[in-house]
């Protein structure tokens, strides 16, 4: 009789484990399936005219922005609101320099600037709001 209870207990544990694994896969899969990928600036890429590119688009937390640009001419720096306003990235800012960078959006305002050759001061900056 003890043998039967042990088998039942192992079976229950296996079923519970399987339920947890399936739930984790399902929940993480839902977030990924809903995420969209956007190419900043469309065919023009990340450039001096990119500031207005987000206008009219609806972004969600988890969406991916792909910044395409000439790495010797531009970069992408994820900054806070002050860094955006001042074109002066704070020390904790994330710099992207590959020329093809993917950035996952956080909920709220996401600020990006180019720090090369005074481009930010010329308007090469962008805010993307994700809901």
């Amino acid at each position: 009789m003890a043998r039967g209870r042990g088998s039942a207990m192992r079976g229950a544990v296996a079923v519970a484990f399987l339920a947890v694994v399936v739930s984790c896969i399902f929940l993480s899969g839902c977030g990924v399936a809903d995420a969209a990928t956007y190419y900043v600036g469309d065919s023009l890429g990340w450039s001096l005219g990119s500031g207005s590119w987000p206008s009219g688009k609806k972004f969600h937390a988890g969406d991916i922005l792909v910044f395409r640009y000439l790495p010797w001419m531009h970069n992408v720096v994820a900054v806070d609101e002050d860094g955006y306003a001042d074109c002066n990235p704070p020390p904790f800012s994330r710099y992207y320099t590959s020329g093809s960078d993917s950035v996952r959006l956080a909920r709220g305002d996401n600020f990006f600037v180019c720090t090369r050759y005074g481009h930010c001061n010329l308007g090469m900056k962008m805010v993307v709001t994700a809901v």
Side-chain angles (χ1 to χ4, degrees):
M1 204 157 212
R3 185 174 170 196
R5 284 188 214 148
S7 296
M9 181 59 104
R10 280 191 298 272
V13 168
V15 168
F17 176 76
L18 183 60
V20 169
V21 168
V22 168
S23 294
C24 288
I25 291 170
F26 176 74
L27 291 175
S28 66
C30 288
V32 171
D34 290 345
T37 299
Y38 294 92
Y39 292 87
V40 174
D42 299 317
S43 63
L44 299 176
W46 174 236
S47 62
L48 286 168
S50 296
S52 62
W53 173 81
S55 183
K57 295 175 179 65
K58 185 167 184 173
F59 300 95
H60 295 89
D63 285 351
I64 304 293
L65 296 184
V66 178
F67 290 84
R68 294 179 296 185
Y69 55 93
L70 298 171
W72 56 269
M73 181 169 239
H74 302 300
N75 65 6
V76 178
V77 185
V79 296
D80 62 8
E81 188 171 4
D82 290 335
Y84 176 82
D86 301 343
C87 290
N88 186 18
F92 59 83
S93 300
R94 174 76 194 264
Y95 284 74
Y96 299 90
T97 58
S98 75
S100 182
D101 304 305
S102 296
V103 179
R104 185 175 303 275
L105 292 175
R107 186 173 314 282
D109 291 336
N110 296 260
F111 300 94
F112 304 99
V113 300
C114 175
T115 61
R116 301 256 171 98
Y117 311 111
H119 289 168
C120 181
N121 290 314
L122 294 172
M124 193 169 174
K125 58 185 184 176
M126 178 176 75
V127 60
V128 176
T129 302
V131 294

